Amino acid sequence: LRKCGTLYAKFRTLNNMENFTITTRTTTKEYAKVMLIGLYKKPGFIIATIVGLYLLTTVLLDYLKIINYYSDTPYFELFCGLFVLLGPTLITFIAVGQFNSNPSCQHNIKYTFSDNGMAVEGKTFKGEFLWAHIIKQKEISNFIILYHSKKMGNFIDKTKLNKEQLQFIKPKVGQD
């Protein structure tokens, strides 16, 4: 019974935690790393990578005359294999280009967390999100990404948060 009281007290403390603020700036290198890891975690990209590796391997083995798999020069298989293998890298290059062209991403961003939600403040913008409007979270590398739409989210540097702050944020996502 005493253990349950301790757990309840800790949970209660986390829910009534004081507002806290962190300031962070995501670098281009960090953003690219998170994008690549995030893409290569998706089952569709994993399957595409395997298919790309298979196509390139069969083309190489055929070229080296180890197997006789193709009757003609396999240009189509070569280009398809390269395309599906390098697809996530191409997507990352496009995303990094958009990231670099957005002036809001080039400066420090201040995040303030409270029981009600999260306030975000940059050099040229301010916004507030209620926890109910943060629809999902994803942890990749040193970041927790808090999504407020299917494709838009805020990159929060987990190294700037202590354990209690991280435990405060995680259960709040999607809460009314």
Side-chain angles (χ1 to χ4, degrees):
L1 189 61
R2 182 174 257 165
K3 251 186 183 172
C4 291
T6 305
L7 288 175
Y8 174 73
K10 283 183 181 178
F11 180 73
R12 189 171 170 197
T13 304
L14 288 176
N15 277 338
N16 295 324
M17 184 176 234
E18 293 286 321
N19 293 359
F20 59 94
T21 300
I22 63 165
T23 302
T24 186
R25 180 183 177 276
T26 306
T27 65
T28 301
K29 184 178 178 181
E30 290 170 328
Y31 183 77
K33 179 181 175 183
V34 169
M35 287 295 297
L36 272 174
I37 292 170
L39 288 173
Y40 277 114
K41 277 185 169 182
K42 294 182 178 184
F45 284 102
I46 293 170
I47 292 168
T49 300
I50 292 168
V51 169
L53 286 171
Y54 170 77
L55 289 171
L56 291 176
T57 302
T58 58
V59 168
L60 179 65
L61 293 174
D62 186 70
Y63 176 77
L64 296 173
K65 306 289 186 217
I66 295 171
I67 62 171
N68 188 14
Y69 197 73
Y70 301 104
S71 56
D72 294 329
T73 307
Y75 292 116
F76 178 76
E77 289 81 0
L78 177 66
F79 290 120
C80 282
L82 285 171
F83 181 74
V84 296
L85 191 62
L86 298 175
T89 306
L90 295 172
I91 291 169
T92 300
F93 276 127
I94 292 166
V96 165
Q98 291 172 342
F99 176 81
N100 286 333
S101 69
N102 185 345
S104 299
C105 297
Q106 307 309 314
H107 304 285
N108 286 339
I109 298 176
K110 183 171 81 172
Y111 298 95
T112 302
F113 299 92
S114 70
D115 279 331
N116 296 327
M118 171 180 75
V120 183
E121 185 177 345
K123 187 175 182 178
T124 59
F125 67 91
K126 253 185 191 179
E128 291 185 18
F129 300 95
L130 296 174
W131 289 119
H133 295 124
I134 298 175
I135 58 174
K136 77 175 183 177
Q137 63 184 326
K138 191 184 287 187
E139 288 188 61
I140 300 175
S141 190
N142 288 334
F143 291 90
I144 182 168
I145 306 169
L146 300 177
Y147 289 91
H148 41 86
S149 73
K150 280 187 171 186
K151 295 184 180 185
M152 297 293 293
N154 296 95
F155 285 62
I156 312 297
D157 187 348
K158 291 192 307 187
T159 63
K160 305 263 176 126
L161 298 169
N162 63 39
K163 185 179 177 182
E164 290 78 24
Q165 291 169 334
L166 196 56
Q167 288 175 347
F168 172 81
I169 293 169
K170 287 182 178 182
K172 294 282 189 184
V173 173
Q175 221 181 48
D176 287 327

